[in-house]
Each structure stands twice: as structure tokens, then as C-alpha cells.
Amino acid sequence: GENVEQHPSTLSVQEGDSAVIKCTYSDSASNYFPWYKQELGKGPQLIIDIRSNVGEKKDQRIAVTLNKTAKHFSLHITETQPEDSAVYFCAVTDGGTSYGKLTFGQGTILTVHP
Amino acid sequence: KAGVTQTPRYLIKTRGQQVTLSCSPISGHRSVSWYQQTPGQGLQFLFEYFSETQRNKGNFPGRFSGRQFSNSRSEMNVSTLELGDSALYLCASSLQADTQYFGPGTRLTVL
């Protein structure tokens, strides 16, 4: 089955710095790659996603890049703010026979220090 | 648009009991997926329903089951609870089962 590796497991940055989280996946059929942010006591919140026909997508301070050949994708957060502190998860799915099944990475605890 | 709602938010049960959790998807969404989140195993897929049919199932024992109603609301049931079933149970709704929006979860504690 699909395997997703996420690094780093913890990331500590100063406010205003950039943060980068990377994920690798095993199934070359995967074609949809969302990122979620989970705050304490809440469910995961979709923050950005990318499909396999696109190499990069940006939404204000957040961007995601995808390298299908190398089977890895990354989340980039620029000008970090304390409210960015949360656990971030990457996920993958092939959108085909894996109906509704997202395979998640293990999560990255991001701490932004004021 | 209202988001995904889950009830109850917290549950405490004892070993051997059974539990039913409920999920109401975003209006218009017909796909509902369920996940178990634990510190050790992370987020793991339980099953997915679309138009009252289970289309996919994860690697969980048969004690975990679910169903979906004609209004797309979904329930999951865990029978003969074990201590290891203590977790945050999340449901997510989707139009077509890829872009998923999660609810706040139900925190289940098994004593």
C-alpha cells in the first residue's frame, strides 16, 4: 500500500522566518496531495492542495511544490507568524480506486516563536 | 455553508461496551470518510461511504463498522470496546472523495 514519510517531525522557527516541510510517497499512481493544519482540540483544516498535473501552487504565504519524478512534495510557509504554530500533515491519494482514502504523513509540529 | 459536524464531541466508555458516533457532512457532499487518530499511529483510514454504499475500507477489525443514510449523514459503530480504541475519531466529507473537509472529531476514551 501507499507509504508517506514526512520530515521533520518538529520544526521551530522565529517569527518572520520561512518553514519548509517535506513529504515523500511510494505510489506513483498518487495524483492528489493536500496539506492540513491541525490546532489543539480541532480537526485537520485543509490549507492547500495540489494535483499531479501542476508543479507548484501558491496561496498568499503558503505554497506547495510537487516533484512527481522524485515522488516528493513540500509545504512552504513564508513570513511565519505565531498563529501558524500547529501540527501540519501531508496526505496523498490516487483518487481512483482508493475512494475516500487519504494516506497521511506522521505530522510536523511547527512552533513559531515571537 | 455549515461545516462538518460530529456528535458527541466527547465520550467515555468501559471495555466491552459499544459506541455509535455520528457525522453530518457539508450540505451537498455525498462522500463521508472516517479516520482514527492516535499519538502512536497517526491518522488512519477506517472506511468511506458514498450514496449509502461503502466503497473502501481500511485495515481495521470487523468491530468497526459504519453506515450512511439517504441524507448523507453517517454513523460509525465500534463494538466490544478495547482500551486501544481510545482515540480521536474524525469524519471528513467530500463531493467526490478527494478534497476532504474534516469535522472537529469525537474524543473516545475507553476505561
Side-chain angles (χ1 to χ4, degrees), chain A residues 32 34 36 38 41-46 49 51 89 93 95 97-106, chain B residues 9 31 33 35 37 39-43 45 48 55-56 88 90 97-105:
Chain A
Y32 177 66
Y36 289 88
Q38 187 174 26
K42 297 184 178 181
Q45 174 195 2
L46 178 68
D49 57 8
R51 298 186 186 275
F89 293 95
T93 184
T97 57
S98 293
Y99 297 111
K101 180 182 179 180
L102 290 174
T103 301
F104 284 85
Q106 286 300 305
Chain B
R9 291 293 312 279
S31 169
S33 297
Y35 295 85
Q37 185 176 27
Q41 299 298 316
L43 281 149
F45 173 77
E48 187 261 3
R55 296 193 299 183
N56 200 1
L88 181 67
L90 294 156
D98 55 4
T99 306
Q100 297 186 16
Y101 300 92
F102 283 83

Side-chain angles (χ1 to χ4, degrees), chain B residues 4-88:
Chain B
V4 178
T5 57
Q6 292 187 245
T7 56
R9 291 293 312 279
Y10 303 92
L11 265 179
I12 299 176
K13 294 285 187 180
T14 56
R15 281 180 299 173
Q17 288 187 310
Q18 74 165 16
V19 67
T20 299
L21 313 180
S22 181
C23 171
S24 292
I26 293 169
S27 178
H29 286 191
R30 295 164 65 189
S31 169
V32 174
S33 297
W34 288 89
Y35 295 85
Q36 181 196 66
Q37 185 176 27
T38 60
Q41 299 298 316
L43 281 149
Q44 293 187 290
F45 173 77
L46 282 157
F47 29 66
E48 187 261 3
Y49 286 86
F50 184 89
S51 294
E52 303 178 67
T53 300
Q54 185 184 88
R55 296 193 299 183
N56 200 1
K57 189 177 189 307
N59 296 324
F60 280 82
R63 299 185 297 107
F64 292 81
S65 62
R67 59 177 175 169
Q68 187 180 34
F69 302 95
S70 59
N71 61 359
S72 294
R73 189 178 68 86
S74 178
E75 289 181 346
M76 68 163 282
N77 184 276
V78 188
S79 63
T80 320
L81 284 166
E82 301 177 358
L83 295 178
D85 296 334
S86 293
L88 181 67

